[in-house]
Amino acid sequence: MEDIQVLVCDDSALMRNLIGRIIDETCGMAVCAKAENGEDLLEKLNTVKPDVILLDIEMPKMNGVEFLKKRKERNIKVPVIILSSVATEGAAVTMECLSLGASDFITKPGASSVTLKIGDVSKDIIEYVAAYGGAYAAVSGKKVYDADFFAHQIKLKQAEKAVLAKKGEDAAKAASITANDVLPTTWFQQKPKEAVVIKPEREGGKIDIIAIGISTGGPNALRDVFKAIDPNLKQPILVVQHMPAGFTKEFAASLDAICPLTVTEAVDGEPILDGHVYIAPGGYHMFVEHRPLGNFIKLSQDAPRNGHRPSCDVLFESVAKIFMNHSLGVIMTGMGRDGAAELAEMRKKGAWTLGQDKESSIVYGMPKVGFELGGVQKQVPLANMAEEISKLAKEHLIA
């Protein structure tokens, strides 16, 4: 197996070294170069061939936005993951970066706490490098480990941190696990499972609501879906995209700019309107509450589910309970299994369901588990997802 090659670009030497250590100490990936700014990065690309670039935004000489414009001009195909600050300004610029072709983003800790908090984002770094870098490497003809191999390492690292915390040692010491901790000989790829066959309790009825759950690879996948969605679609759409607090309002605004429907960040207690898209706020679960006067958005900060808040399972669970066979559930690209169990529950209740197919998923995790549990009626390529959602919504608008 070959390593996923990573180029780290950040004007902070400390950040370059800390991120570089996480990558180099993860079996299956390696740092091929480091750059101080966009100009240095363009220079490095003349001599190295990374599979993915981790890019800071605020840098001297040439910042991240300027580099992305140059990348587009020069038709550089290497995927870019933004290293973003959590500030409101950072959120707005991050969404601009996505519109310029960046694949996704990771929030990095502030300068004052970087050495203590870098371990907290190591999971995201490994996951996103594995997803985007792995996909690009595979397309380039390399043989690299799949996302499950890196997910296995993340679990071991989290277990190591938990043990150190119980011993009273500094959790920051567990920022990375070494390649010696997880050798290829200890990894056994699970065989594909036969999909469970679910016999719904009732036939599919009219579609009154659409619920979408999505994670890694989601920002650009949702851009593709919502810019092509039917402008005459009548049903409301509720979306859980795994995204940190502070970014979902700007993300909703960026989708609203390209979507023929109105897209907003969901607000607790607001009525659910037809033809409106609601994005779950980062840090909050989103679910539906039925009242005599209609259906309303509810938000909560209950404990994370499947490691996530917002959780796709929380949304799907409420839709299954309230709407049963009068709903459409969609599970898309993402690592892990969030949303899979409750999508299967939606299917049991008679809901219509779709899952993104393996070939078009950045990470075929959530949709794979959803399919294996019998929750997916039909697997759909990303390029056809908007058309398929629109078609089902139109066909089943009335009873």
Side-chain angles (χ1 to χ4, degrees):
M1 288 289 187
E2 298 176 71
D3 287 340
I4 297 170
Q5 298 296 317
V6 186
L7 200 162
V8 181
C9 182
D10 196 298
D11 63 332
S12 164
L14 175 61
M15 187 64 73
R16 290 196 302 272
N17 290 333
L18 289 172
I19 293 174
R21 190 183 74 185
I22 290 170
I23 293 164
D24 283 334
E25 293 182 350
T26 301
C27 184
M29 55 183 66
V31 174
C32 63
K34 296 176 182 177
E36 298 179 5
N37 54 59
E39 284 187 3
D40 189 22
L41 174 53
L42 286 173
E43 191 68 28
K44 291 286 196 305
L45 289 175
N46 291 325
T47 56
V48 297
K49 293 184 177 181
D51 298 309
V52 64
I53 297 167
L54 296 181
L55 180 70
D56 188 22
I57 296 178
E58 293 299 324
M59 298 178 292
K61 294 186 179 180
M62 182 185 291
N63 63 30
V65 173
E66 292 166 339
F67 168 78
L68 287 169
K69 291 176 180 178
K70 289 288 185 182
R71 172 180 176 268
K72 198 170 185 178
E73 288 175 11
R74 301 186 184 188
N75 199 30
I76 298 171
K77 299 298 186 182
V78 183
V80 174
I81 300 168
I82 297 299
L83 299 169
S84 177
S85 65
V86 187
T88 303
E89 316 84 73
V93 177
T94 299
M95 295 308 133
E96 181 184 1
C97 289
L98 291 178
S99 70
L100 288 170
S103 296
D104 218 318
F105 69 94
I106 297 169
T107 55
K108 63 178 184 178
S112 61
S113 60
V114 63
T115 55
L116 295 177
K117 296 292 185 180
I118 192 67
D120 294 342
V121 300
S122 62
K123 171 185 176 293
D124 291 338
I125 292 171
I126 295 169
E127 179 178 324
Y128 284 43
V129 166
Y132 296 103
Y136 183 80
V139 169
S140 302
K142 290 185 179 180
K143 290 185 177 181
V144 297
Y145 291 109
D146 65 12
D148 288 342
F149 176 75
F150 295 102
H152 176 63
Q153 294 194 63
I154 290 170
K155 288 179 182 177
L156 288 179
K157 185 164 74 76
Q158 290 173 331
E160 182 187 22
K161 285 180 69 174
V163 169
L164 287 175
K166 285 183 179 180
K167 289 182 177 179
E169 297 180 39
D170 186 355
K173 292 179 181 177
S176 298
I177 52 176
T178 66
N180 291 328
D181 292 326
V182 187
L183 296 174
T185 52
T186 69
W187 170 247
F188 299 96
Q189 177 63 53
Q190 293 182 344
K191 294 180 180 179
K193 297 179 182 178
E194 288 289 330
V196 173
V197 177
I198 290 177
K199 185 177 180 180
E201 298 169 359
R202 53 189 66 79
E203 292 292 323
K206 61 176 289 197
I207 295 174
D208 291 329
I209 193 169
I210 300 167
I212 299 175
I214 190 167
S215 186
T216 317
N220 282 326
L222 288 176
R223 288 177 64 85
D224 288 347
V225 169
F226 285 120
K227 70 184 178 185
I229 203 78
D230 182 358
N232 297 312
L233 190 141
K234 303 300 182 184
Q235 296 89 338
I237 305 177
L238 276 60
V239 181
V240 166
Q241 158 72 66
H242 295 157
M243 189 173 283
F247 288 89
T248 41
K249 187 172 184 179
E250 288 290 342
F251 180 56
S254 72
L255 291 178
D256 185 60
I258 61 173
C259 180
L261 307 176
T262 299
V263 184
T264 60
E265 182 186 56
V267 176
D268 186 48
E270 69 176 319
I272 297 175
L273 305 177
D274 289 345
H276 194 112
V277 181
Y278 300 88
I279 307 295
Y284 287 85
H285 291 307
M286 177 176 70
F287 55 98
V288 181
E289 181 179 71
H290 180 69
R291 302 177 192 168
L293 294 177
N295 297 302
F296 296 80
I297 295 284
K298 286 299 294 179
L299 304 177
S300 84
Q301 287 191 303
D302 290 345
R305 192 156 160 187
N306 302 315
H308 297 284
R309 191 175 63 209
S311 163
C312 306
D313 262 341
V314 170
L315 172 62
F316 289 165
E317 181 180 52
S318 70
V319 172
K321 182 178 179 180
I322 295 170
F323 293 91
M324 294 189 288
N325 61 329
H326 296 296
S327 60
L328 168 61
V330 184
I331 193 165
M332 297 179 65
T333 177
M335 187 174 284
R337 57 187 302 119
D338 188 32
E342 293 301 332
L343 185 75
E345 186 62 26
M346 286 182 65
R347 184 70 193 119
K348 287 178 186 176
K349 298 291 186 184
W352 306 90
T353 59
L354 300 173
Q356 189 173 345
D357 70 356
K358 180 178 181 179
E359 290 72 25
S360 67
S361 295
I362 293 295
V363 181
Y364 187 58
M366 287 162 44
K368 178 183 75 171
V369 181
F371 178 75
E372 290 173 347
L373 293 179
V376 175
Q377 271 183 294
K378 182 178 182 180
Q379 298 194 85
V380 181
L382 175 60
N384 298 343
M385 188 61 80
E387 180 184 359
E388 193 69 31
I389 291 171
S390 301
K391 177 185 174 185
L392 281 171
K394 186 175 181 179
E395 288 178 352
H396 304 287
L397 180 61
I398 58 176

